[in-house]
Amino acid sequence: MQWRQIGPFRGGRALAIEGVPGEPDTYYFGAVAGGVWKTTDGGQNWIPLFDKEDISSIGAIAVAPSDHNVVYAGTGEAAIRGNTTYGIGIYKSIDAGKTWKNVGLKDSRQIGALIVDPRNADVVLVAALGHAFGPNPERGIFRTADGGKTWTKVLSKDENTGGIDVVFDPHNPNIVFASLWQARRQPWFFSSGGAGSGLYRSEDNGVTWKRLEGNGLPEGILGKIGVAVSGADSNRVYAIIEAKEGGLFRSDDAGQKWTRVNDDGRFRQRAWYFSKVYADPKSADTVYLLNTGAFRSVDGGKTFNLLPARHGDHHGLWIDPENPNRIGNANDGGASISIDGGKTWTTQNNQPTAQFYHVAVDNAFPYHIYGAQQDNSNVGIASRTDSGVIGRENWFQAGGGECGFVVPDPRDWHIIYSNSEGYIARYNKSTEDDQDISPLPLDNSGHGAVDLTHRFQWVSPLLLSPHDPDVIYTAAECVFKSADHGQSWTQISGDLTKNDKTKQQPSGGPLTNDITSVEYYDTIFALTESPVDKGTLWAGTDDGLIHVSTDDGAHWSNVTPKMPEWSTVDLIEASPYDGKTAYAAIDRHKLDDFKPYIVKTTDLGKTWSSIINGIPDGAYVHAVREDPKKSGLLYAGTELGVYVSFDAGAHWQPLQLNLPRSPIHDLVVKNDDLVVATHGRSFWVLDNITPLRQLSAPATNSDFILYQPQTALRLHYPEEFDKRQPVGDNPPAGAMIDYYFKTAPKDEVTLDILDGQGKVVRHLSSKEKKEGEQPPEWPDRVERVKTIPANEGMNRFAWDIRYNDPIQTPGAFYGGTGPKGSLALPGNYQVKLTVAGKSQTVPLKLMIDPRNKGAEAALQKQFTLSTQVTDRISQLHQAINEIRDLKAQIKTLHFRFGDDEKLKPALAAADDLDHKMSDVEKELIQVNMKGSEGNLAFPSVLNERFDAFSHFIDAGDSTEPTKSQLEVFQTLGKRLDEQLAKWSQLKSQDVVKVSDMIKQANLPALIITPPKTETPKETKSS
């Protein structure tokens, strides 16, 4: 079992980017929850480097100037928004990102910056912000002189203040500037600025520091500070400072005196999120500021021009110290590169680093996956395609914004509801109509929650009733219901929160208000309706309460379990089996508590039990879901990945497999697939979880287990597709068959597919068989897998829904993939696994493509023709193989006995036979075709025409064979019969005559080899 990447390949938030001087096509960037990525082709393709590490958030990256193989990554972003995740210190690579090792500062949590001494790759300075949600000692500026073996805290203030920026003087690494930032995020408040914030300078490579104050720097409380030293003039220093009289400050004497040169509000807004400044390495007057836009000044910061950089909300910039036209940019849409000084930029649509909040699926075929991407739009994307990959053409904006839920109507997937904060939209994809249906369509930006009529938060709940999709529910501090698609709303509860007014005040801190609905508190965070009992509603709040109503909101009961105060009820899952059973994911990470919490009730909340055994600290839980086909099979989405429980939550274990490390904010089971919304690596699917539903303790003691396969679909799978582009993956092509071996078998393992009458239609083996296949020409051609795996543990093989192939002719060339067995008809089959003389058999149901229901009769006729064509191809190939085998025997006779005068009459007769056989062979197969397009020079004959015809009739399902197809089959059949008759006559007369002459000369007789058949050996069932 393997997780499958869906996409979309649309970049998510990134703060860190670093190029490599002297290597113009090499860059690294760090996604805030998607790990480290590298390009060696100038941003055309990005390769993930961090998928196997224990954490996914990257705050800073630095390549050692003295050794480009040495790369440091500081984990944990320091743009501490409400959805920020954490890091576990500094990672180091000594092989240009191939492998990584954690080298300390594990409790620093969020890293603002790190720099490597250009003279020594072992000397590193780190600006560690520390815990975003609480006090801790491991914060400030840290220094190592031994490559991370030991660290020294060289600059700090207190447990509430950390490092946010640190830079060298490019000409003198002994001169270092750094800034400290006092900041704290809580569920109901964010504060930037305080007595701890300040700007500092070191003259001894960061060992000791002096605070810079006065001399033109702003007075009073300071907030976030970014600093940069010009590579053109070490005396030129820039600082962007959050303060009451803040803005861009400039020093022309290496930091002794300062002047505010710009107080433009575009550069001061949301100072906690931005405040980044970068100096050009060649021009002292050229400086860059990052905010919602990327700006450049060429007059020392007095005026700025907006650059046409990708996306918006910019956080990171790297400028090549030798070539300032070469720039890397990291922003809330990912990473991009410019080689012309910012005029043009590479795409961000090649980075699957999207942060999704929730996930939903529809009832289309193939089904779509929906979610809202942070700092972008929401998305609907196909779960699979007929083309073989999931590309840009397979996803669309589903009408809404960057946060919240996206909910398709189960009856018509073209009708899609979505929300972003308190705004709700009803989108009709068929007409591209996007209608606002918000309960309160009022802009509350900048207003504290205490001032609001209703407190809708960033990811307000939204759902359609599973009993009546015309009914919509949403929630603020109370629950709303609409029975007319959002045209009107009714409040069906009172305030179900603690309504603590002290936690509803304006947010931002002592300097800059920054009020979004992220900090709106005392709100309903989780809302769901029981799929079993209509009108049973569960509501969970971000301040730690759970209420239930059994009469569609007319009455509510407080059923809050015992849990630490002010916990967030992140998601409630009402069991699909029992209306009284529910599960709740409880999240306390914004209170600096990273423990996992899941609670369960089986009596409508009268009693609750904790079910977190096996989930480690740090993996705080966002979502829990129960499998709709197996009671007690639970899945949990946590900050560190996916977990599964087979016993209703009593024990948990990882279900990470090959899934890259990234927060899992939501998951859902669709049919037999588990779909997850990562918050940093886009959407992923674990295809076909039917084996998980069949796991049991006694079964694991067996030597081997063949699992009951899921119902398979009769689909057409593409024979080639281009994966050398940013695309998602399709599921395995065929009926997935899962089996388990306690130890890897030493004997051959066989897999047989039997039809309803017990006849073998496909025989497969673990022993690889070479068939003299056509040498490769087309890199996008899909290589058919014909050898089944037989490894210790779980194995999965996808039967391609085809019967055994016709007899093949080794060395034959075709314009396409060559002849294959017929596509099996919908119906009931059996799968038989055999190893060491024992076998197990399970049923397999094959269904028609849902898009072709009603075409069963046409398929039967198509199948009849296809099997007839396959039989004719086998006859054709058998004749070719017999002819070529006899020709090879004659050639051998010449090689061994050609100089013997006594044998020349017999050999002459053999040569005459050879010529006659060649005449037939040339009509059967184009003997001069030595490439896939050789038939353009050498005309197609029977073999090539039969092969092409087999693909023509195999192409569609909706209609029976055409009159023209039947006529062509008759024509080809007659021509084949003519040549087979000639060959039959040669075999019965000439071959016998020549063979007798050869035997009389005491030479080895000519032998016609019978056709090989795929008849499996008899096996004992167990």
Side-chain angles (χ1 to χ4, degrees), residues 969-981:
F969 178 59
Q970 292 298 322
T971 300
L972 290 176
K974 288 179 180 179
R975 293 177 184 174
L976 176 59
D977 288 338
E978 290 172 3
Q979 299 305 317
L980 292 180

Side-chain angles (χ1 to χ4, degrees), residues 239-293:
I240 179 74
I241 302 175
E242 181 187 12
K244 183 177 180 181
E245 300 296 331
L248 178 65
F249 289 76
R250 190 179 87 193
S251 173
D252 295 320
D253 55 8
Q256 302 303 313
K257 297 178 181 178
W258 297 82
T259 303
R260 183 167 72 167
V261 293
N262 199 304
D263 65 352
D264 192 326
R266 293 176 299 164
F267 314 139
R268 298 177 62 191
Q269 62 187 346
R270 307 205 80 192
W272 71 270
Y273 197 46
F274 300 113
S275 298
K276 301 291 289 185
V277 61
Y278 297 86
D280 187 273
K282 297 296 184 181
S283 170
D285 284 335
T286 300
V287 60
Y288 296 81
L289 280 175
L290 301 184
N291 202 282
T292 54

Side-chain angles (χ1 to χ4, degrees), residues 65 114-120 123-125 143 166-178 205-206 209 227-231:
L114 65 82
I115 53 176
V116 184
D117 192 311
R119 304 164 299 190
N120 185 346
V123 176
V124 183
L125 287 163
R143 184 178 186 272
V166 60
V167 295
F168 286 124
D169 176 344
H171 294 289
N172 181 6
N174 288 327
I175 304 298
V176 193
F177 289 84
N205 197 235
W209 296 85
V227 61
V229 182
S230 172

Side-chain angles (χ1 to χ4, degrees), residues 582-632:
Y583 307 85
I586 311 297
D587 179 8
R588 291 179 48 79
H589 83 276
K590 290 185 182 180
L591 298 165
D592 213 32
D593 177 357
F594 282 17
K595 293 184 178 67
Y597 296 91
I598 304 175
V599 293
K600 173 186 178 181
T601 181
T602 57
D603 53 14
L604 275 176
K606 293 177 183 177
T607 60
W608 295 85
S609 57
S610 173
I611 52 169
I612 49 88
N613 182 33
I615 302 178
D617 288 357
Y620 47 89
V621 184
H622 296 288
V624 59
R625 302 290 188 187
E626 186 168 18
D627 191 295
K629 295 184 179 180
K630 179 66 180 292
S631 177

